[in-house]
Short mmCIF file of all heavy atoms in Angstrom, two decimals:
data_model
loop_
_atom_site.label_atom_id
_atom_site.label_comp_id
_atom_site.label_asym_id
_atom_site.label_seq_id
_atom_site.Cartn_x
_atom_site.Cartn_y
_atom_site.Cartn_z
N LEU A 268 102.05 69.09 153.35
CA LEU A 268 101.99 68.81 151.90
C LEU A 268 100.90 67.79 151.57
O LEU A 268 100.34 67.80 150.48
CB LEU A 268 103.35 68.31 151.40
CG LEU A 268 104.50 69.31 151.51
CD1 LEU A 268 105.79 68.69 150.99
CD2 LEU A 268 104.20 70.59 150.74
N ASN A 269 100.62 66.89 152.52
CA ASN A 269 99.60 65.87 152.28
C ASN A 269 98.19 66.35 152.61
O ASN A 269 97.25 66.01 151.90
CB ASN A 269 99.88 64.64 153.15
CG ASN A 269 100.73 63.61 152.42
OD1 ASN A 269 100.35 63.12 151.35
ND2 ASN A 269 101.89 63.30 152.96
N LYS A 270 98.07 67.13 153.69
CA LYS A 270 96.72 67.38 154.22
C LYS A 270 96.26 68.82 154.14
O LYS A 270 95.08 69.11 154.29
CB LYS A 270 96.67 66.93 155.68
CG LYS A 270 96.89 65.44 155.84
CD LYS A 270 96.70 64.99 157.26
CE LYS A 270 97.06 63.53 157.42
NZ LYS A 270 97.56 63.24 158.76
N LYS A 271 97.20 69.76 153.95
CA LYS A 271 96.78 71.17 153.99
C LYS A 271 97.15 71.91 152.72
O LYS A 271 97.15 73.14 152.69
CB LYS A 271 97.43 71.86 155.20
CG LYS A 271 96.96 71.28 156.51
CD LYS A 271 97.54 71.99 157.69
CE LYS A 271 97.08 71.32 158.98
NZ LYS A 271 98.01 71.55 160.07
N SER A 272 97.52 71.18 151.70
CA SER A 272 97.97 71.82 150.46
C SER A 272 96.92 71.62 149.36
O SER A 272 95.73 71.64 149.65
CB SER A 272 99.34 71.25 150.08
OG SER A 272 100.26 71.54 151.11
N GLY A 273 97.36 71.42 148.13
CA GLY A 273 96.41 71.24 147.04
C GLY A 273 95.50 72.45 146.90
O GLY A 273 95.86 73.56 147.31
N VAL A 274 94.31 72.23 146.35
CA VAL A 274 93.41 73.37 146.16
C VAL A 274 92.93 73.93 147.50
O VAL A 274 92.65 75.13 147.60
CB VAL A 274 92.19 73.03 145.25
CG1 VAL A 274 92.65 72.75 143.82
CG2 VAL A 274 91.38 71.88 145.80
N LEU A 275 92.90 73.09 148.55
CA LEU A 275 92.55 73.60 149.88
C LEU A 275 93.57 74.65 150.32
O LEU A 275 93.22 75.76 150.73
CB LEU A 275 92.50 72.46 150.90
CG LEU A 275 92.38 72.90 152.37
CD1 LEU A 275 91.02 73.55 152.62
CD2 LEU A 275 92.57 71.72 153.33
N GLY A 276 94.84 74.28 150.23
CA GLY A 276 95.90 75.20 150.66
C GLY A 276 95.98 76.44 149.78
O GLY A 276 96.21 77.55 150.28
N MET A 277 95.76 76.26 148.49
CA MET A 277 95.88 77.40 147.57
C MET A 277 94.77 78.42 147.77
O MET A 277 94.94 79.60 147.47
CB MET A 277 95.83 76.91 146.11
CG MET A 277 97.08 76.15 145.69
SD MET A 277 96.94 75.61 143.97
CE MET A 277 97.42 77.09 143.10
N THR A 278 93.61 77.95 148.25
CA THR A 278 92.45 78.86 148.31
C THR A 278 92.00 79.17 149.74
O THR A 278 91.38 80.20 149.97
CB THR A 278 91.23 78.21 147.62
OG1 THR A 278 90.89 77.01 148.34
CG2 THR A 278 91.52 77.87 146.18
N GLY A 279 92.26 78.26 150.67
CA GLY A 279 91.69 78.40 152.01
C GLY A 279 90.18 78.17 152.00
O GLY A 279 89.52 78.32 153.01
N VAL A 280 89.63 77.78 150.85
CA VAL A 280 88.17 77.62 150.73
C VAL A 280 87.76 76.20 151.10
O VAL A 280 86.97 75.98 152.03
CB VAL A 280 87.70 77.96 149.29
CG1 VAL A 280 86.24 77.57 149.09
CG2 VAL A 280 87.87 79.45 149.00
N SER A 281 88.30 75.22 150.40
CA SER A 281 87.82 73.84 150.56
C SER A 281 88.70 72.92 149.72
O SER A 281 89.42 73.38 148.82
CB SER A 281 86.37 73.77 150.05
OG SER A 281 85.95 72.44 149.89
N SER A 282 88.62 71.62 150.01
CA SER A 282 89.31 70.67 149.14
C SER A 282 88.33 70.13 148.09
O SER A 282 88.71 69.38 147.21
CB SER A 282 89.84 69.50 149.98
OG SER A 282 88.76 68.81 150.57
#
Side-chain angles (χ1 to χ4, degrees):
L268 297 179
N269 268 301
K270 297 185 185 150
K271 296 183 183 155
S272 299
V274 293
L275 170 67
M277 289 180 82
T278 62
V280 170
S281 167
S282 63

